Amino acid sequence: MLASNNFFSVRMTNVPVVELGSAIDALTRIIDEYKADDISIIILIDHFFMDSDLVDLRRPWVHIEFINTENEPTTQGLDALVSELKSGPCVHAELIIGIGGGHVLDLAKATSNLWTNEGKASDYQGWNLVKNRGLRKIGVPTISGTGAEATRTCVLTNPDTGIKLGMNSDHSVFDQIILDSALSATVDRSQYFFTGMDTYIHCIESLSGRYRNALADANSEMALSLCREVFKSEDMMSDINRQKLMIASFLGGCAVGGSFVGLIHPLSAGLSVVYKTPHCAGNCIVMTVMDEYYPEAFNEFYEMANCQDVCMPSNPCEKASDEDFSKLFDAVICHEKPLRNALGPDFHKILTREKLRDLYLRRLN
Ligand code: ZN
């Protein structure tokens, strides 16, 4: 059911062009429209695709950069990447294409922003700080769930401050995305499940929050319905299910772009900052102790994990020190908007240091 009385004060920025179909065909067409003496196109590709057909996109005017996605993107990593690209033959670049999961898509968006805005990546973490429109940018997701292809943010961890925060800006929205579910056929099954659950979690957090609106609710409901079809079926990775999940990811990204996440994302961000736990695995670890806050979703989450025979990632907090818990608390409590959305204005009184420690130490499976 849609939230009522909330048809005001909602503003969403959408991706203007969404193309469904073969990514190779679409990118070949786009790339061949350019042709220049200097490098005019930068392509960031997840290193997983180093030996795939995607390298056929190489042209004299195209620079391909393979991105190691073992660790989540950092502000320092982005600063180094932009300075390397700008000091080389890419100085005249007019287009950046990101091909990969949320990591690479966020990196492509953030590179685009830093290309035309002076300073460092950390200067733009926050809300509406990016002044100038960046390089034209195209996103091609190769795994479904993060919604990075749809959102107006690109999330980076700053190891100096211990803050994981996005560049939330209209300038962080892709100019075009290409949705080709064939690209997600080779994803590892567990990874496919954890990443798909990111969409499920975005939507249940948004629908359970205090700051709902009818537009976000409609997107969330549709994305959740697709997630249920996919993860309650026999083969979550069939052709049709990969197509459904790619659409669910996009709609979930639209939902969360027009509302807020809840308690799960801040706790997952804590794991990312302190233990470098990947975002989607972190969400699933946190989900295993959310029976108190999201009881229906908690039960359904386990139903879907059991249906797909997926084991949860191991909890890095089992041997956490007092210092670790202190860092975890700082990395969680700074996420004021989602925590307020989930727990209300008194979230500080509910999510105390002791409560957070209990949650991180519990292990239900
Ligand atoms: Zn997420």
Side-chain angles (χ1 to χ4, degrees), residues 64-253:
I64 295 184
E65 185 86 22
F66 290 102
I67 305 295
N68 184 332
T69 53
E70 274 160 27
N71 292 317
E72 304 235 300
T74 62
T75 48
Q76 283 98 328
L78 176 68
D79 290 335
L81 175 68
V82 171
S83 118
E84 177 205 317
L85 292 173
K86 270 194 162 178
S87 60
C90 301
V91 67
H92 299 300
E94 293 168 35
L95 168 67
I96 182 160
I97 300 169
I99 307 175
H103 180 139
V104 175
L105 298 182
D106 277 359
L107 210 51
K109 294 199 260 185
T111 302
S112 161
N113 285 340
L114 265 200
W115 207 264
T116 52
N117 289 275
E118 287 188 356
K120 290 179 176 286
S122 55
D123 299 338
Y124 300 101
Q125 286 180 293
W127 276 263
N128 305 318
L129 301 172
V130 181
K131 304 262 181 322
N132 306 315
R133 185 182 176 78
L135 277 183
R136 182 186 172 207
K137 53 192 173 297
I138 296 176
V140 184
T142 57
I143 184 168
S144 304
T146 66
E149 65 278 18
T151 58
R152 67 189 288 280
T153 191
C154 38
V155 182
L156 303 162
T157 300
N158 184 338
D160 291 339
T161 59
I163 286 176
K164 181 178 179 181
L165 188 61
M167 296 178 180
N168 297 276
S169 161
D170 284 353
H171 296 307
S172 297
V173 178
F174 277 115
D175 297 292
Q176 180 172 350
I177 58 171
I178 300 160
L179 303 182
D180 178 359
S181 59
L183 294 173
S184 65
T186 49
V187 174
D188 167 80
R189 270 181 61 79
S190 298
Q191 190 59 42
Y192 180 89
F193 180 84
F194 300 150
T195 310
M197 280 301 112
D198 198 14
T199 292
Y200 179 81
I201 291 169
H202 288 153
C203 298
I204 61 111
E205 285 183 300
S206 175
L207 286 170
S208 311
R210 282 161 172 74
Y211 302 106
R212 293 170 57 184
N213 67 75
L215 182 57
D217 280 8
N219 279 317
S220 290
E221 296 284 9
M222 193 63 231
L224 274 182
S225 156
L226 288 167
C227 283
R228 288 176 179 131
E229 286 177 34
V230 170
F231 293 109
K232 294 183 183 183
S233 72
E234 255 179 37
D235 179 7
M236 64 180 176
M237 293 188 70
S238 67
D239 287 351
I240 186 73
N241 279 338
R242 281 188 284 101
Q243 285 177 29
K244 285 180 184 174
L245 193 59
M246 203 158 254
I247 300 303
S249 173
F250 175 70
L251 294 175

Side-chain angles (χ1 to χ4, degrees), residues 297-319:
F298 169 85
N299 287 330
E300 191 168 44
F301 171 79
Y302 269 106
E303 183 193 336
M304 293 188 286
N306 291 336
C307 180
Q308 300 303 329
D309 199 18
V310 173
C311 295
M312 288 304 118
S314 58
N315 182 0
C317 300
E318 274 157 10
K319 292 183 183 143

Side-chain angles (χ1 to χ4, degrees), residues 198 202 265 279 283:
D198 198 14
H202 288 153
H265 272 74
H279 175 65
N283 284 348

